[in-house]
């Protein structure tokens, strides 16, 4: 079964959006298989955003993501990687479609509430970066 990594960023936590965001993925029908609440270390943040290392916003991005607690999650379901990206919306909340998390809840590209893996390879590496295998729960809801 496909899995993706999602993280509610410090702005989402501070604005009290954790319940709203988890509700969207639960009611959509995806299965939560990993969940932790942590203040990411500098090292974890730099590894997570390594692909953006050369970008001008990299230092600010790392500073922001380490500034407070985040909700790190692994969600499971058929097509969950692409579906979650659709539910999250475009990177810039100002242009993200209404109905998406960023489109409904944000206005600032540097404070865009939530991160979601963009492809199967990144999902695999991000899940491995944030979670140990034994922290993930193998279970199926009885629908
Ligand atoms: P995310 O999906 O977590 O992946 C990379 C992050 O970089 C992105 O969300 C934004 O929060 C951030 N980002 C992308 N472009 C910019 C930008 N122009 N200025 C500041 N932050 C950016």
């Amino acid at each position: 079964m496909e899995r993706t990594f999602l993280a509610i960023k410090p702005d989402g936590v501070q604005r009290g959006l954790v319940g709203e965001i988890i509700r969207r993925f639960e009611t959509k029908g995806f299965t939560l298989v990993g969940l932790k609440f942590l203040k990411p270390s500098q090292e974890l943040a730099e590894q997570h955003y390594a692909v953006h290392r050369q970008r001008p916003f990299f230092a600010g991005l790392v500073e922001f993501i380490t500034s407070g607690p985040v909700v790190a999650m692994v969600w499971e379901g058929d097509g969950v990687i692409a579906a979650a990206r659709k539910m999250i919306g475009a990177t810039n909340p100002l242009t993200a479609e209404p109905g998406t998390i960023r489109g409904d809840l944000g206005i600032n590209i540097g404070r865009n509430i939530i991160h979601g893996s963009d492809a199967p390879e990144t999902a695999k590496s991000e899940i491995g970066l944030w979670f140990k295998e034994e922290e993930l729960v193998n279970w199926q809801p009885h629908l």
Side-chain angles (χ1 to χ4, degrees), residues 9 48-49 52 55 57 61 85 91 102 109-112 114-116:
K9 301 183 184 184
H48 176 76
Y49 282 126
H52 298 298
R55 305 279 194 99
F57 56 80
L61 182 57
R85 292 281 293 188
T91 301
R102 289 171 177 160
I109 192 169
R111 303 283 184 272
N112 63 359
I114 180 169
H115 167 86

Side-chain angles (χ1 to χ4, degrees), residues 4-9 21 24-25 30 73 75 80-106 112-118 126:
T4 195
F5 172 75
L6 304 180
I8 304 173
K9 301 183 184 184
I21 291 169
R24 291 188 182 216
F25 292 102
F30 292 125
M73 301 176 284
W75 287 85
V80 68
I81 298 171
R85 292 281 293 188
K86 247 188 188 168
M87 290 168 68
I88 289 169
T91 301
N92 187 346
L94 262 190
T95 54
E97 291 290 328
T100 65
I101 292 168
R102 289 171 177 160
D104 288 348
L105 304 174
N112 63 359
I113 308 165
I114 180 169
H115 167 86
S117 305
D118 62 2
E126 290 172 359

